[in-house]
């Protein structure tokens, strides 16, 4: 049984004020407390309703590893593991760390492929991972029957620890650095004062805090409710077992390595003289959907062997000694998942000074990295690496508690299930749809969900034909996407653009605000510009299209997924409506859901548009980068002459209630022009042919304007956020740069994060790519070290373990002068 530790040093009086109050003394809260204090914020306090570790932290299995689907989360997991020695030394409290190394076992060719991708990532991340044969697996871990496996990926950083010890070590090390924590001090209320600070209520007194951090773990939802915040996380029941003594374990000269078998859905490690084995069953059991009771203490749940029987059967075949040993303990404990399985951390959009670090489902692998990131974010204003994969802002209003339960359960069930690059997950779908949903489905659309909203990926001939098998390789959608690209490049196509973000700025101060906030040129009325948005440290925080509808009225178009993060960014300056006395003459609103629309692209798009409007849309009357409010198909629209396909094109935004009218009219008017709908896959293919990067892939806060090439859009003759840093980057020169490559390959394309090598040495990695259907080439974009940024440089790209030669190209291979888009 896991042991509960107690802290006897709690008879101090609560302070009346703190810079930060961290709510919750699990591993995550304690790590945040430690990092805040270590980085210089001493006036920080953690409040725990019971003993430390009183949520899920005390009964964790304590297994630690670096592997994660997101490279930056992997980096932070590696940081977390390295940190344990430090907190042990600082605190004097043992974390019971055993770095045994560990393996990820591939029992099918698909899992072997998956691990080859992980190996490729590890190459450029500098993580020490190598493949070993089944025979070597058995040599390192004699309990494993090697006949089930093709290979294993070995990581020598993996191992296990004592979860309670680690949590206490974080807390005590935080104290050494000047922070304080109080146990048996439940937070019963959080009330915000007009100055934005918080009164944190407890039975032992009240603390006024500048910031609060919700680290409530199993009670994250309840802590959120205190301030009307609905967080889409869900505790899930989870089993692991501990065997009796196994002689082969007891007699083994060294501690046995840890392991994960994906197909069997199990993880395992040595526990004293026996083994610990945990499993993610295929049908997850959400725990306390209605809310976690406050009186839930250091309790475990009733184990249900039937639920995990098939998993155990498989694991007993693969590690027979576990099946033969008696079971000493069976643990069923709850822990909290988020909708995509990654943590939800950072400032909560729409709130001031309210932070959260919740849904951390692998707290002992990720807790250190979460603490580091939160402390950087709170103290420095931004994390040092892109943590989009953990940002709470990736879920907006659509992520209701019900949706959260559905998706978190799906994620639990898929914890060790491979997700292919072309795969769309089935649960929680149709959460948000547009008026075109049924129409596009009827036309054969295969849909995916982005920021809760359904959008078409590609179109088959009919609904029955709209399917594809999850795969790393090109698949049956390939020819359909090719057809869509052909329609756009040769005639005219239409894509729904409801899923682009739209941000509206109004007021006499809008231009001045945007000039300061955005690094690029702010357009005159009726015109459009593209501009990067930078953080104060000069990192990319947006690539936005700015349309000036009137001198005091602007619309910004950007990444749909980032819309709440951008909203949070703008509201930090302009207020959330909470600050009554904030004297700004600019009013901001995220109006993404108020504007749906269709983008027309292709050489015949002008002809099609002219049939739908009384406006003169000839090349001289409606120029490239013009914007106007007008009527198309008899409905009021914002009409922008731009396109992401590289063709002559128009974005037509209308209010959602007009979308069906607009779409029907376009279809009717375009029938004889070869009009066809196209989806996101075709769009992503066409933008590759233009060397255009995409947000969350090629453009993100890991990179600056110079590295990404976005500096060409900067207006250096004005003051803007991040200017000093950007100037420094420009003067000093970039160490890496975004390049486009053509790969000599057939049947498969990159699926992001592959290593780019030269002479066997990793020189960068792929940020995006795919098949360029018009050019009929496999293409990719990626960041490579500056000395390799030379047109014609030959590199190797590692795809599924094979090296493919590729060449760095200079100008776009399609319409490099931009004549088509300007036609
Ligand atoms: C069976 C099992 C096995 C696991 N195995 C592993 C593993 O091998 N490796 C791994 O990395 N992870 C593992 N985990 C997951 C790990 O336990 C969690 O990721 C981690 O505990 C989350 O920590 P936390 O701090 O976010 O939440 P919690 O541990 O739930 O902590 C939240 C804390 O907040 C306190 N709190 C809540 N509300 C208030 C309030 N109003 N006022 C004051 N205090 C409050 C609670 O009392 C609690 O102490 C496992 C989990 C389970 C259940």
């Amino acid at each position: 049984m896991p042991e509960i530790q107690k802290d006897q040093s709690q008879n101090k009086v609560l302070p009346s004020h703190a810079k930060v109050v961290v709510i919750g003394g699990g591993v995550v809260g304690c790590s945040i407390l430690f990092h805040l204090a270590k980085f210089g914020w001493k006036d920080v306090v953690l409040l725990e309703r019971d003993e430390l570790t009183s949520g899920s932290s005390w009964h964790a299995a304590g297994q630690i590893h670096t592997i994660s689907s997101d490279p930056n989360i992997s980096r932070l997991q590696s940081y977390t593991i390295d940190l344990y020695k430090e907190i042990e030394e600082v605190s004097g409290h043992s974390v019971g760390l055993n770095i045994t190394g560990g393996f990820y076992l591939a029992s099918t060719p698909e899992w072997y492929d998956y691990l080859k991708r992980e190996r490729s990532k590890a190459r450029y991340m500098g993580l020490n991972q190598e493949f070993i044969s089944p025979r070597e697996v058995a040599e390192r871990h004699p309990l494993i029957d090697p006949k089930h496996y093709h290979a294993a990926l070995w990581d020598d950083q993996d191992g296990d620890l004592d979860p309670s010890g680690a949590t206490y070590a974080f807390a005590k090390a935080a104290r050494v650095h000047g922070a304080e924590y109080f146990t048996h001090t439940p937070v019963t209320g959080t009330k915000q004062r007009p100055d934005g600070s918080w009164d944190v209520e407890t039975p032992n007194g009240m603390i006024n805090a500048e910031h609060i951090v919700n680290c409530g773990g199993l009670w994250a939802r309840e802590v959120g409710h205190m301030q009307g915040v609905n967080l889409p996380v869900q505790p899930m029941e989870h089993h692991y077992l501990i065997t009796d003594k196994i002689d082969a374990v007891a007699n083994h000269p060294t501690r046995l390595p840890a392991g994960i078998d994906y197909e069997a859905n199990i993880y395992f490690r040595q526990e004293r003289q026996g083994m610990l084995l945990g499993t993610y069953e295929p049908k997850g059991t959400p725990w306390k959907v209605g809310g976690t009771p406050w009186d839930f203490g250091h309790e475990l749940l009733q184990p249900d062997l039937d639920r995990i029987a098939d998993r155990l059967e498989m694991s007993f075949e693969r590690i027979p000694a576990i099946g033969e040993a008696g079971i000493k303990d069976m643990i069923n404990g709850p822990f909290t998942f988020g909708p995509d399985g990654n943590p939800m951390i950072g400032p909560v959009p729409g709130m001031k000074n309210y932070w959260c670090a919740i849904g951390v489902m692998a707290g002992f692998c990720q807790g250190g990295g979460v603490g580091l990131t939160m402390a950087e974010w709170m103290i420095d204003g931004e994390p040092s690496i892109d943590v989009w994969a953990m940002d709470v802002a990736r879920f907006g209003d659509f992520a209701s508690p019900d949706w959260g339960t559905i998706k978190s359960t799906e994620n639990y069930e898929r914890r060790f299930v491979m997700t292919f690059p072309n795969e769309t997950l089935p649960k929680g779908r149709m959460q948000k749809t547009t008026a075109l949903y049924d129409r596009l489905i009827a036309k054969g659309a295969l849909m995916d969900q982005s920021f809760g909203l359904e959008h078409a990926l590609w179109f088959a001939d009919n609904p029955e034909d709209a399917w594809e098998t999850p795969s790393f390789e090109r698949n049956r959608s390939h020819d359909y996407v090719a057809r869509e690209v052909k329609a756009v490049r040769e005639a005219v196509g239409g894509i729904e653009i409801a899923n682009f973000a739209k941000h509206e700025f109004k007021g006499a101060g809008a231009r001045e605000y945007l000039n300061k906030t955005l690094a690029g040129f702010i357009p005159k009325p009726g015109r459009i510009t593209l501009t990067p948005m930078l953080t104060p440290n000069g990192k990319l925080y947006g690539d936005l299209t700015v349309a000036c509808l009137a001198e005091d009225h602007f619309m910004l178009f950007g990444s749909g997924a980032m819309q709440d993060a951008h909203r949070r960014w703008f509201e930090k300056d302009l207020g959330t409506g909470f600050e009554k006395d904030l004297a700004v003459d600019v009013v901001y609103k995220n109006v993404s859901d108020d504007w749906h629309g269709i983008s027309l692209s292709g050489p015949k798009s002008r002809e099609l548009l002219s049939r739908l409007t009384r406006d003169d849309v000839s090349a001289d009357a409606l120029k490239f980068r013009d914007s106007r409010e007008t009527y198309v198909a008899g409905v009021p629209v914002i009409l922008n002459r731009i396109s992401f396909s590289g063709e002559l094109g128009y974005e037509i935004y209308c209010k959602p209630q007009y979308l069906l009218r607009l779409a029907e009219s376009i279809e009717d008017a375009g029938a004889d022009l070869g009009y066809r709908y196209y989806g996101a896959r075709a769009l992503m293919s066409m933008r590759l042919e233009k060397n255009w990067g995409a947000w969350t892939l090629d453009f993100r806060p890991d990179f600056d304007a110079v590295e990404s090439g976005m500096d060409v859009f900067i207006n250096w003759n004005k003051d803007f956020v991040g200017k000093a840093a950007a100037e420094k980057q420009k003067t000093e020169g970039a160490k890496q740069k975004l390049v486009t490559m053509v790969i000599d390959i057939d049947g498969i394309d990159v699926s992001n994060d592959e290593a780019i090598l030269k002479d066997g040495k990793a020189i960068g990695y792929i940020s995006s790519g795919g098949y360029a259907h018009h050019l009929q080439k496999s293409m990719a974009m990626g960041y490579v070290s500056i000395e390799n940024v030379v047109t014609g440089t030959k590199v190797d790209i590692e795809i599924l373990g094979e090296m493919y030669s590729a060449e760095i190209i200079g100008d776009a291979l399609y319409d490099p002068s931009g004549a088509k888009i300007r036609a």
Side-chain angles (χ1 to χ4, degrees), residues 23-29 47-49 53-57 59-63 185-187 215-219 223 226 238 240 267 294 333-335 360-365:
I23 304 170
V27 64
V28 172
L47 303 180
E48 164 55 48
R49 58 175 197 112
T53 76
S54 289
S56 48
S57 293
H59 55 244
Q63 196 152 327
T185 311
V187 172
C215 296
L218 289 179
W219 294 266
V223 173
M226 290 177 189
H238 180 65
Y240 67 81
Y267 60 90
W294 284 114
F335 65 139
V360 187
M361 57 72 52
F364 296 93
C365 306

Side-chain angles (χ1 to χ4, degrees), residues 23 124 147 200 216 258 295 408 432 456 494 628-629 667 774 813:
I23 304 170
Y124 72 76
K147 74 167 185 270
V200 182
D295 61 359
S408 302
K432 274 172 80 173
R628 65 171 69 149
E629 289 175 280
E667 286 173 29
H774 180 75
L813 296 182

